[in-house]
Amino acid sequence: MFQKIYHFLRLIRLLNILVIALTMIVVEFFLTKYLLIDTNIVHQASGIKSPPTILSIIENVFNFQFILLLTSTLLIAGAGNIINDYFDVKADRINKPDRLIIGLHIKRRWAMLFHWTFNVIGLLLALYLGYLIQNIYIPIVALLSINLLWFYSAYYKRQPFIGNILVATLLGFIPVYILIYNISLSQVFNNRENFMVLAENDYFLKVVLFTGLLAFLLNIVRELIKDIIDIRGDLTLGAKTFPIKYGIKKTKQLIGIFYFLIFMMGGLFFYFIVQTTINLMLDDLGENGAYLFNYINLSAFLLLLAITFILLVTSLFFVYRKSKKGYKTASYLLKAAMLCGLVIPIFL
């Protein structure tokens, strides 16, 4: 019984599911914090604003609607992981026979049943949530994700670069999805103050976009590295991934370009946060002024940014080592770097 549960959790890739959940919670925590600040839903002390407490933010984050969104997204992501393994059985017998699940520990028909059950429940939850908050984009994104994950696993994964971009876009879109959830039609008509806060404040908008772009770029690099690792199995399937069609050397050159974009974006984001912090510290006459600056944990931000940078540099070193073990190490380091980058908004 416990072995079945263990293999089921491997099938849905529990660690990846938890990373998606963490991303959603972090971004919602960040957006909720600034809604609480800017709409004056804060504790008052002698008429002077004080920052919202961690407890008040958590209470506002984990409401019924967000739990619906979280559950729907994780179910659809789990279904995507299942169908990906379903179509990869032949390749996995060559690339990672010791990690084969479908056909060995879980029957193919049960895998498909889990896949469709997760998708249907996830879509129904998205439809219900969209109805509750009058936001048509929630079920539209859910339906698009279900179809794109299917076509990725069945067709695009074996095409050069198209599959890499598709899966990286879906993962990078998660922070934007949370933003879409917060700017709903009901907020426009019934709570215009909240809507205007989200529509006009470019500070948190830039943070959300940075988080999404970071996830997008890191996942493209990881997908390209995984294509190099899985090249033998992909060849048996007649796949035309980027390393197969253009060679490992050109794949590494492409990876190098994406690393450059990641470092450049990190530098711009660092400049933006430091500049914003200095402006807030000097803006004693502003409505939030130094009060908002005190809520930005600059030291934690700098520490996480440094850790992310170190992990990226280390992973780059392993990418250019000519061994399968080196590629796998680079992939793990990139996942760690992505995890560090994704939690940065908590401290901003």
Side-chain angles (χ1 to χ4, degrees), residues 99-348:
R99 303 210 30 104
L100 194 64
I101 302 171
I102 295 178
L104 184 62
H105 301 290
I106 295 176
K107 293 179 180 179
R108 291 172 67 87
R109 64 175 180 270
W110 278 105
M112 287 302 292
L113 179 63
F114 286 134
H115 167 73
W116 285 114
T117 302
F118 280 17
N119 274 335
V120 169
I121 296 173
L123 182 58
L124 288 174
L125 291 176
L127 285 165
Y128 179 56
L129 175 61
Y131 169 75
L132 279 181
I133 64 175
Q134 293 295 291
N135 191 333
I136 194 173
Y137 298 110
I138 298 297
I140 287 176
V141 171
L143 184 60
L144 279 173
S145 299
I146 290 169
N147 284 279
L148 288 174
L149 285 168
W150 171 276
F151 284 109
Y152 163 75
S153 299
Y155 305 106
Y156 298 129
K157 186 177 182 180
R158 293 166 185 84
Q159 301 301 316
F161 207 47
I162 297 174
N164 305 125
I165 291 177
L166 180 58
V167 72
T169 300
L170 286 171
L171 290 167
F173 188 73
I174 290 172
V176 182
Y177 190 38
I178 302 299
L179 187 63
I180 291 170
Y181 158 74
N182 280 277
I183 306 179
S184 63
L185 293 178
S186 62
Q187 287 178 320
V188 176
F189 294 110
N190 302 325
N191 194 346
R192 186 167 179 79
E193 188 177 14
N194 272 16
F195 173 74
M196 292 308 293
V197 167
L198 288 171
E200 294 177 355
N201 191 331
D202 67 337
Y203 170 74
F204 71 81
L205 184 61
K206 287 177 181 176
V207 172
V208 170
L209 290 178
F210 164 78
T211 307
L213 281 170
L214 179 69
F216 170 75
L217 291 172
L218 287 175
N219 271 289
I220 280 188
V221 174
R222 284 195 69 241
E223 289 297 315
L224 287 169
I225 292 172
K226 283 161 64 179
D227 282 349
I228 294 175
I229 295 171
D230 295 340
I231 199 167
R232 281 184 57 216
D234 290 339
L235 278 168
T236 62
L237 294 178
K240 298 184 183 298
T241 59
F242 197 92
I244 291 173
K245 187 168 183 178
Y246 298 104
I248 293 177
K249 184 178 179 180
K250 287 188 176 179
T251 305
K252 288 184 178 182
Q253 290 172 351
L254 183 61
I255 288 172
I257 292 171
F258 281 113
Y259 265 104
F260 172 75
L261 292 174
I262 291 168
F263 290 136
M264 186 174 68
M265 189 183 67
L268 290 172
F269 187 64
F270 169 78
Y271 172 78
F272 166 70
I273 294 298
V274 171
Q275 184 185 49
T276 302
T277 305
I278 292 171
N279 289 340
L280 287 169
M281 185 171 59
L282 297 175
D283 184 18
D284 293 328
L285 299 177
E287 184 181 355
N288 291 322
Y291 146 72
L292 184 56
F293 161 72
N294 290 333
Y295 204 76
I296 296 175
N297 192 331
L298 188 61
S299 58
F301 162 72
L302 293 175
L303 179 62
L304 272 173
L305 201 63
I307 293 171
T308 305
F309 179 78
I310 292 167
L311 288 169
L312 283 170
V313 171
T314 310
S315 63
L316 183 60
F317 168 76
F318 281 105
V319 165
Y320 286 90
R321 291 182 63 183
K322 296 180 180 180
S323 68
K324 192 171 182 178
K325 186 177 179 181
Y327 298 140
K328 286 184 176 179
T329 304
S331 181
Y332 292 138
L333 287 169
L334 279 170
K335 187 175 283 189
M338 184 169 64
L339 198 60
C340 290
L342 290 175
V343 299
I344 281 176
I346 289 181
F347 304 101
L348 299 178

